[in-house]
Amino acid sequence: MTFSMPPESFRTLRPEPTARRSRGWDVALTIVLLVLLPLLALAASYAGVLLAYAADACGSTTCNTGLMNIGFWTAVVSPWVVLLVGVIVAIVRLVRHRLAFWVPLVTIVAIVAVWFIAAALVGAGVSAS
């Protein structure tokens, strides 16, 4: 007794998914960049602390201290938040065998961009007189 499938059922079958292979260079490069990211976050956070010296210009004039505080705390805290998001996304992509080396590079750009936005907020608070 033979069991054969009708020809129309062949069209509905899907091929078995192939397992994705991880690329060694991608894993190595991603890990190296992820190890260097906390150093950048520390440097950006330290540079954010130095933004407090912008308040020295407020001696004889009035400044918007609320805006300066928002900019200061954004510059201090945001590098670590961006770092955490970048590390999580990179690890998830590595576990799923997807290219992940670009995630730390985007994280570097995001840390720098957020720091400059925070510095602009501090500068706007100083010149709000």
Side-chain angles (χ1 to χ4, degrees):
M1 182 180 219
T2 57
F3 298 99
S4 63
M5 297 177 69
E8 63 272 356
S9 66
F10 283 118
R11 289 186 220 120
T12 61
L13 294 178
R14 293 187 202 139
E16 292 184 17
T18 58
R20 291 190 179 130
R21 294 181 2 185
S22 62
R23 297 170 183 95
W25 63 269
D26 177 50
V27 174
L29 183 60
T30 304
I31 290 173
V32 167
L33 290 172
L34 287 177
V35 167
L36 294 177
L37 272 179
L39 297 175
L40 176 67
L42 182 65
S45 190
Y46 181 72
V49 169
L50 294 178
L51 286 175
Y53 288 111
D56 291 346
C58 298
S60 62
T61 61
T62 58
C63 294
N64 187 348
T65 57
L67 187 60
M68 289 175 64
N69 279 333
I70 289 172
F72 171 77
W73 286 110
T74 302
V76 172
V77 174
S78 66
W80 300 103
V81 174
V82 173
L83 170 75
L84 183 65
V85 170
V87 167
I88 289 171
V89 170
I91 290 173
V92 166
R93 290 190 65 86
L94 283 175
V95 168
R96 292 186 178 177
H97 300 287
R98 304 254 186 194
L99 278 180
F101 76 93
W102 60 270
V103 175
L105 297 175
V106 170
T107 304
I108 290 170
V109 171
I111 287 173
V112 171
V114 169
W115 188 89
F116 276 110
I117 290 169
L121 286 174
V122 172
V126 170
S127 64
S129 53

mmCIF file of all heavy atoms in Angstrom, residues 108-118:
data_model
loop_
_atom_site.group_PDB
_atom_site.id
_atom_site.type_symbol
_atom_site.label_atom_id
_atom_site.label_comp_id
_atom_site.label_asym_id
_atom_site.label_seq_id
_atom_site.Cartn_x
_atom_site.Cartn_y
_atom_site.Cartn_z
ATOM 1 N N ILE A 108 27.400 54.627 19.680
ATOM 2 C CA ILE A 108 28.427 55.671 19.827
ATOM 3 C C ILE A 108 27.902 56.997 19.275
ATOM 4 O O ILE A 108 28.017 58.047 19.930
ATOM 5 C CB ILE A 108 29.727 55.247 19.114
ATOM 6 C CG1 ILE A 108 30.396 54.107 19.872
ATOM 7 C CG2 ILE A 108 30.678 56.432 18.962
ATOM 8 C CD1 ILE A 108 31.545 53.461 19.126
ATOM 9 N N VAL A 109 27.323 56.951 18.105
ATOM 10 C CA VAL A 109 26.779 58.171 17.493
ATOM 11 C C VAL A 109 25.657 58.745 18.363
ATOM 12 O O VAL A 109 25.568 59.967 18.558
ATOM 13 C CB VAL A 109 26.285 57.881 16.062
ATOM 14 C CG1 VAL A 109 25.526 59.054 15.485
ATOM 15 C CG2 VAL A 109 27.465 57.509 15.175
ATOM 16 N N ALA A 110 24.809 57.886 18.922
ATOM 17 C CA ALA A 110 23.699 58.346 19.757
ATOM 18 C C ALA A 110 24.204 58.981 21.050
ATOM 19 O O ALA A 110 23.668 60.005 21.493
ATOM 20 C CB ALA A 110 22.757 57.187 20.064
ATOM 21 N N ILE A 111 25.232 58.399 21.669
ATOM 22 C CA ILE A 111 25.778 58.974 22.899
ATOM 23 C C ILE A 111 26.333 60.371 22.625
ATOM 24 O O ILE A 111 26.077 61.320 23.378
ATOM 25 C CB ILE A 111 26.857 58.046 23.497
ATOM 26 C CG1 ILE A 111 26.212 56.810 24.124
ATOM 27 C CG2 ILE A 111 27.696 58.779 24.543
ATOM 28 C CD1 ILE A 111 27.209 55.770 24.598
ATOM 29 N N VAL A 112 27.078 60.507 21.549
ATOM 30 C CA VAL A 112 27.659 61.809 21.208
ATOM 31 C C VAL A 112 26.562 62.812 20.868
ATOM 32 O O VAL A 112 26.598 63.969 21.314
ATOM 33 C CB VAL A 112 28.668 61.650 20.048
ATOM 34 C CG1 VAL A 112 29.130 62.995 19.530
ATOM 35 C CG2 VAL A 112 29.860 60.808 20.506
ATOM 36 N N ALA A 113 25.567 62.386 20.104
ATOM 37 C CA ALA A 113 24.487 63.299 19.710
ATOM 38 C C ALA A 113 23.681 63.774 20.917
ATOM 39 O O ALA A 113 23.370 64.968 21.036
ATOM 40 C CB ALA A 113 23.566 62.614 18.700
ATOM 41 N N VAL A 114 23.366 62.861 21.827
ATOM 42 C CA VAL A 114 22.589 63.249 23.007
ATOM 43 C C VAL A 114 23.404 64.181 23.898
ATOM 44 O O VAL A 114 22.864 65.124 24.482
ATOM 45 C CB VAL A 114 22.123 61.984 23.774
ATOM 46 C CG1 VAL A 114 21.550 62.337 25.120
ATOM 47 C CG2 VAL A 114 21.090 61.235 22.958
ATOM 48 N N TRP A 115 24.715 63.955 23.985
ATOM 49 C CA TRP A 115 25.545 64.846 24.796
ATOM 50 C C TRP A 115 25.546 66.250 24.206
ATOM 51 O O TRP A 115 25.432 67.238 24.940
ATOM 52 C CB TRP A 115 26.984 64.336 24.893
ATOM 53 C CG TRP A 115 27.764 65.149 25.873
ATOM 54 C CD1 TRP A 115 27.885 64.921 27.201
ATOM 55 C CD2 TRP A 115 28.492 66.356 25.595
ATOM 56 N NE1 TRP A 115 28.650 65.902 27.769
ATOM 57 C CE2 TRP A 115 29.034 66.805 26.817
ATOM 58 C CE3 TRP A 115 28.733 67.088 24.453
ATOM 59 C CZ2 TRP A 115 29.801 67.949 26.914
ATOM 60 C CZ3 TRP A 115 29.499 68.251 24.551
ATOM 61 C CH2 TRP A 115 30.025 68.668 25.766
ATOM 62 N N PHE A 116 25.670 66.366 22.881
ATOM 63 C CA PHE A 116 25.667 67.695 22.273
ATOM 64 C C PHE A 116 24.310 68.380 22.415
ATOM 65 O O PHE A 116 24.246 69.603 22.571
ATOM 66 C CB PHE A 116 26.101 67.623 20.810
ATOM 67 C CG PHE A 116 27.590 67.623 20.641
ATOM 68 C CD1 PHE A 116 28.252 66.488 20.210
ATOM 69 C CD2 PHE A 116 28.332 68.753 20.911
ATOM 70 C CE1 PHE A 116 29.622 66.485 20.065
ATOM 71 C CE2 PHE A 116 29.711 68.768 20.766
ATOM 72 C CZ PHE A 116 30.354 67.627 20.341
ATOM 73 N N ILE A 117 23.240 67.630 22.378
ATOM 74 C CA ILE A 117 21.912 68.212 22.609
ATOM 75 C C ILE A 117 21.810 68.726 24.034
ATOM 76 O O ILE A 117 21.293 69.821 24.294
ATOM 77 C CB ILE A 117 20.812 67.175 22.289
ATOM 78 C CG1 ILE A 117 20.750 66.922 20.788
ATOM 79 C CG2 ILE A 117 19.456 67.641 22.809
ATOM 80 C CD1 ILE A 117 19.891 65.745 20.389
ATOM 81 N N ALA A 118 22.321 67.938 24.982
ATOM 82 C CA ALA A 118 22.300 68.380 26.380
ATOM 83 C C ALA A 118 23.171 69.620 26.582
ATOM 84 O O ALA A 118 22.796 70.533 27.322
ATOM 85 C CB ALA A 118 22.767 67.242 27.285
#
